[in-house]
Amino acid sequence: MKRVIYVTLLLFITSMSFASLTSCKEKKETPEEKVEEAIDEIGDGLEEAGEEVKDAAEDVKENVEEAIDTIN
């Protein structure tokens, strides 16, 4: 009888530990918070894209300068 209780207790504890580790509760957001988060993500994306364009323009400028130097 003790063994059955111990096994049942062990199974219960194991199942509860897996349930607590794998549960994912979504935070409830208002529509305003969702819109604000979306705007922030778009702004971050635009900043990153702007930096990439700037880096690409600098690379092109360096390549053109190198090409001019080799011609001269």
Side-chain angles (χ1 to χ4, degrees):
M1 188 68 173
K2 280 185 175 181
R3 184 175 179 169
V4 172
I5 293 173
Y6 286 141
V7 169
T8 305
L9 186 61
L10 179 64
L11 289 173
F12 177 75
I13 291 171
T14 304
S15 66
M16 291 306 293
S17 67
F18 281 124
S20 67
L21 292 174
T22 59
S23 68
C24 53
K25 297 179 182 177
E26 289 187 34
K27 58 181 181 178
K28 296 182 180 179
E29 297 180 356
T30 63
E32 293 84 14
E33 291 173 334
K34 289 180 182 179
V35 170
E36 185 176 327
E37 185 176 326
I39 290 172
D40 289 341
E41 289 177 7
I42 292 171
D44 293 343
L46 289 174
E47 284 181 22
E48 290 176 16
E51 290 173 2
E52 289 179 17
V53 169
K54 181 180 176 183
D55 292 342
E58 289 173 355
D59 291 343
V60 169
K61 180 182 174 185
E62 290 174 5
N63 290 341
V64 168
E65 289 173 348
E66 288 176 6
I68 291 173
D69 288 342
T70 57
I71 293 173
N72 292 332

